[in-house]
Each structure stands twice: as structure tokens, then as C-alpha cells.
Amino acid sequence: MIRGGTILLVALVAACGDLVPPARPDPYDVGIRLNDGFELRFHWTPASLPVRFWIEPEANLPTDAAEAIQAWEAVALLGEFRGVVVADSDAADVLVVRAEPIDINGNGATRLDCLGQTEISVELDTTVTLPFVIELFPRRGASPTSLRSCLRTTLAHEIGHTLGLFQHSDAPDDLMYAPPRVGRPSERDVASFAALYHSIPSVRLPAGR
Ligand SMILES: [Zn+2]
């Protein structure tokens, strides 16, 4: 019996050795530091899930938004984020709208086919104001195919901002690099998300959320 127990123990140690997770890349900074040193650090809480998104029913926006929400849900390995699309914009935490086309300057290959912006407000008492608003701006004259690609990538990036990834990564392979070049979260985006969601936020959701 003892001998058998010893063998079992060795087998377990070997199995544990096999389960060592791969090293994760270092996270980038996600909070915004204000002039007085206060860091705006925000994440959704388990009680606030699912985060409610309202998507303007414009062109491919609903499909692209659903894909982007899923991509971020896959990043939340422990279920720290879940999103749902709602029909009533008044009941939404995040609004996604497509603005009128604008002129975007730049030369040749560096010219962007769209721009994105996420508006996040925090009250002086450190409560965030909902809804957050994502606006996507198509470039006037962009071809439909390249515009679609730009809007998808940019929307996935902007949704990252609404999850509390307020800053930009300095690595082009990360979705939170600006302007984003990859359409999906990278390992470093995953590490940064995990670091944020397992830290204490400095700003909070309004009462009832
Ligand atoms: Zn950004």
C-alpha cells in the first residue's frame, strides 16, 4: 500500500510539472494618471454583468459588434466580462454609433480608412457616467472592403477601452495599440485585462449597476 502511494505521488508531481502555464507577457499600463497623481482605474464588477451594448443598426455594425464582444469574452478566462446587445438605447451601458464620413488626411499606405473614439466620463466623486459612447468615423471615399476591415478592427479596440483598458499599448501586435493593426486581442492584451480585473478599481459604477 505504501509503495503504491509513493508511486501515485510521483505521478501527481509529474502531472503538476506538465501543468505549469506558459509565461505570460508583461501587461501594459491601463489606468489614466491625472495631473494630481490620481489614477483612473476602472473595471466592470461581477454584479454589473452582462454589460449592455446598444449598437446602431447601420450596415455591418451589429455583426461586427457581436464578434468584438465575443472576442473580449474569450479574453475573460474567468468570466470577468460578459456582454449582451440590447434593443433599448436608454437601457445601455455602452452605445456604439457610426458617425457621418469625415475627411482623414495622411499619405499613401498610412492613411486610415476610419477613426474611432470612446467617450468616458468620471464624476468628481469618482463615479463613472453611463453610458460610455463609442463613435466610429468612416473616411470619406474609403472603399467598402477596406472600410469594413477598419471599422471591425477599430470597434474591437474601442470596446477594449470600455472594459477599462483606457491606455494604449506600445506594441503594434496588440489590439490596444493605436491605431490598431490587429483585429483580435493578443496575449499581452489578455495579460493586461487580467491584471486590471484582478486589481482594485479607483472609480466605480453608479448605484444600481
Ligand atoms: Zn484607442
Side-chain angles (χ1 to χ4, degrees), residues 1 4 46 66 116 131 153 177 188:
M1 287 297 284
T153 300
Y177 182 79
R188 195 151 169 258

Side-chain angles (χ1 to χ4, degrees), residues 4 10 25 31 36 45 49 57 72 77 83 88 99-101 104 108-109 129 133 140 158 166 177 180-181 185 194 199:
V10 170
D36 60 3
T45 59
L49 300 180
W72 280 109
L77 301 174
D88 180 4
E100 290 299 310
I104 299 175
T129 306
V133 180
R140 199 190 315 276
E158 300 303 329
F166 290 164
Y177 182 79
R181 298 184 187 178
S199 71

Side-chain angles (χ1 to χ4, degrees), residues 116-118 154 157-158 160-161 165-169 175-180:
Q117 144 182 317
T118 299
T154 303
H157 170 102
E158 300 303 329
H161 283 318
L165 301 172
F166 290 164
Q167 288 216 49
H168 288 137
S169 160
L175 176 55
M176 296 316 291
Y177 182 79

Side-chain angles (χ1 to χ4, degrees), residues 22-164:
R24 271 204 172 160
D26 287 336
Y28 45 78
D29 289 337
V30 297
I32 295 175
R33 206 166 280 283
L34 303 182
N35 288 338
D36 60 3
F38 181 79
E39 188 192 16
L40 291 180
R41 200 173 177 82
F42 165 80
H43 63 68
W44 297 93
T45 59
S48 67
L49 300 180
V51 179
R52 302 166 304 190
F53 292 81
W54 179 84
I55 319 295
E56 187 177 16
E58 181 75 34
N60 297 302
L61 213 49
T63 313
D64 294 347
E67 274 178 19
I69 291 167
Q70 273 179 17
W72 280 109
E73 284 178 338
V75 166
L77 301 174
L78 301 175
E80 301 94 331
F81 163 70
R82 278 179 297 118
V84 67
V85 174
V86 295
D88 180 4
S89 58
D90 288 338
D93 300 312
V94 179
L95 304 179
V96 178
V97 298
R98 179 171 157 152
E100 290 299 310
I102 58 168
D103 290 320
I104 299 175
N105 295 321
N107 46 1
T110 62
R111 183 166 61 178
L112 297 168
D113 284 316
C114 71
L115 292 176
Q117 144 182 317
T118 299
E119 189 183 313
I120 287 168
S121 321
V122 180
E123 303 291 327
L124 280 174
D125 70 355
T126 70
T127 308
V128 297
T129 306
L130 295 178
F132 298 155
V133 180
I134 295 175
E135 266 189 294
L136 299 170
F137 300 88
R139 177 172 68 79
R140 199 190 315 276
S143 82
T145 310
S146 59
L147 175 60
R148 171 94 195 267
S149 165
C150 183
L151 290 172
R152 286 169 98 156
T153 300
T154 303
L155 178 52
H157 170 102
E158 300 303 329
I159 286 180
H161 283 318
T162 69
L163 303 191

